[in-house]
Amino acid sequence: TDWLVVIFFPISVFLWPVIINIQKSYCLFKHHTTKGYEQLKWKAAAKEMAAKVGMVHLTEVCIESTFISILNWYDILPTILLEVDSSVYSADNRISLSTVSFLTSIVSLAWSFTSYVAEQKDGALALTWDPVSRLVLFVSNLLLIFARLNCLVLFAFYFGPGNIHQVMLFLLCHIIFMMAIHAYNVIRYMSVETNQNETNTICFIGRLFYVSVLNGLANVFINNFVNVSLNNQKTLGKKKKKSFYRQTVGDLIFLLENVICVVFGCLTDVAPINNRITMTYFVSIVFFCHIVGLLLKIFYYKILHLWADLTPTFDFKTKSFPRADESIHFYKKTKTSM
């Protein structure tokens, strides 16, 4: 049996996305062809498999598109700034192919992050149900990814042409930092909500490490939260306030890192980035995309989100979230009376 494991284990790893999608399709088929209790059981199984499919796709995108987009943009940015019009008709096919690969990567990243959020809403963000909200969130993610990508590439050019390993080291430190933040928040929350012994098991530590790595990779370009629940016992109020703090702190971290990267990038000697006029226009466009992306994100959560009324609004006088507290109290009271 050992040789069977040696043969089929690598195959199962490579075909993992295909296997998961087949299982999802089977669960959906059983859900639509059964009735009564069996239909409810297969519906729950289909929902669980849909979450796994989203995780698999997000993992694949984070590993592939993240670093490919950085390498491609690092390769073509100086040429695009130097000859924006002529680069489209350039005889150098490498530039054209790199441009197509770059555009495909960032669109794939933005759409994958948006699709993962949509998967968590049980169809509320489907294109057939609420296309406007989904497109707003997609454009926000796309602008934030584009701004972040340019900041990282500018930071890479500070070390001179061809020296990209420094920015990769910076990204590694950023990923570990985001992993540590996620792991700390999960352990802190689980220690309060569950038995302490449950957080010391090998199974829990392994799942926590995997989820932390995935959150670290998903937070390379924008502030993301891969919601893999290690505990089903959650309260609405804590979840909303926790999400508000996480989004705010995460966006501030990305803004601070982007500013630092641009400051170093402005000191580069690589042409034409070292041209003062070119640098001024380029940096202005980058931060314009970043600000517009954040505004669209706020617009989505404050206006278009399904639970916009539960979005916390901080009162500096009372140092509390009166709007969210009132909405949560009303929700609990209505749920109790039903």
Side-chain angles (χ1 to χ4, degrees), residues 40-70:
L40 294 176
K41 183 180 73 173
W42 284 109
K43 181 181 179 180
K47 184 178 180 180
E48 182 180 353
M49 290 306 304
K52 290 182 179 180
V53 169
M55 289 281 294
V56 170
H57 181 65
L58 191 63
T59 303
E60 182 181 1
V61 169
C62 288
I63 294 175
E64 293 181 3
S65 299
T66 297
F67 301 102
I68 289 178
S69 59
I70 294 175

Side-chain angles (χ1 to χ4, degrees), residues 156-334:
F157 278 120
Y158 167 75
F159 300 98
N163 296 322
I164 199 172
H165 56 276
Q166 288 90 345
V167 76
M168 292 301 174
L169 180 61
F170 171 78
L171 286 179
L172 178 62
C173 295
H174 172 82
I175 291 173
I176 295 175
F177 178 63
M178 301 305 291
M179 286 175 56
I181 292 178
H182 182 78
Y184 170 77
N185 288 329
V186 171
I187 293 175
R188 182 182 178 185
Y189 179 77
M190 293 289 291
S191 63
V192 175
E193 295 294 327
T194 61
N195 189 352
Q196 185 68 26
N197 294 328
E198 297 181 10
T199 61
N200 295 328
T201 62
I202 297 177
C203 181
F204 174 83
I205 295 174
R207 292 183 63 191
L208 176 62
F209 178 76
Y210 169 71
V211 175
S212 298
V213 170
L214 186 54
N215 271 274
L217 292 173
N219 281 269
V220 169
F221 289 129
I222 61 175
N223 183 21
N224 274 311
F225 175 59
V226 182
N227 185 21
V228 182
S229 177
L230 302 180
N231 176 28
N232 293 325
Q233 303 298 324
K234 292 184 178 181
T235 57
L236 182 64
K238 290 183 178 180
K239 183 177 179 181
K240 285 299 168 184
K241 293 180 181 179
K242 180 182 177 182
S243 178
F244 175 80
Y245 286 128
R246 175 180 53 79
Q247 290 282 353
T248 304
V249 173
D251 287 331
L252 289 176
I253 290 174
F254 275 92
L255 179 60
L256 179 62
E257 287 185 354
N258 287 348
V259 171
I260 294 175
C261 290
V262 169
V263 169
F264 279 95
C266 291
L267 303 176
T268 182
D269 292 329
V270 178
I273 302 175
N274 58 351
N275 183 282
R276 180 172 298 180
I277 298 177
T278 302
M279 176 63 72
T280 301
Y281 280 109
F282 182 68
V283 171
S284 299
I285 293 173
V286 168
F287 280 106
F288 174 79
C289 292
H290 187 95
I291 293 173
V292 173
L294 286 178
L295 292 177
L296 287 175
K297 184 177 181 180
I298 294 172
F299 175 75
Y300 165 74
Y301 280 106
K302 300 293 289 185
I303 306 297
L304 301 178
H305 195 273
L306 185 64
W307 283 6
D309 291 337
L310 295 180
T311 305
T313 302
F314 189 75
D315 187 349
F316 288 93
K317 293 183 180 180
T318 60
K319 296 183 179 180
S320 63
F321 300 86
R323 180 183 176 187
D325 292 338
E326 291 174 2
S327 300
I328 293 167
H329 177 72
F330 175 76
Y331 170 82
K332 291 180 177 179
K333 183 179 179 180
T334 306

Side-chain angles (χ1 to χ4, degrees), residues 113-128:
F113 291 150
T114 307
S115 298
Y116 180 77
V117 174
E119 286 286 342
Q120 309 300 310
K121 307 302 179 185
D122 295 330
L125 271 179
L127 288 173
T128 55

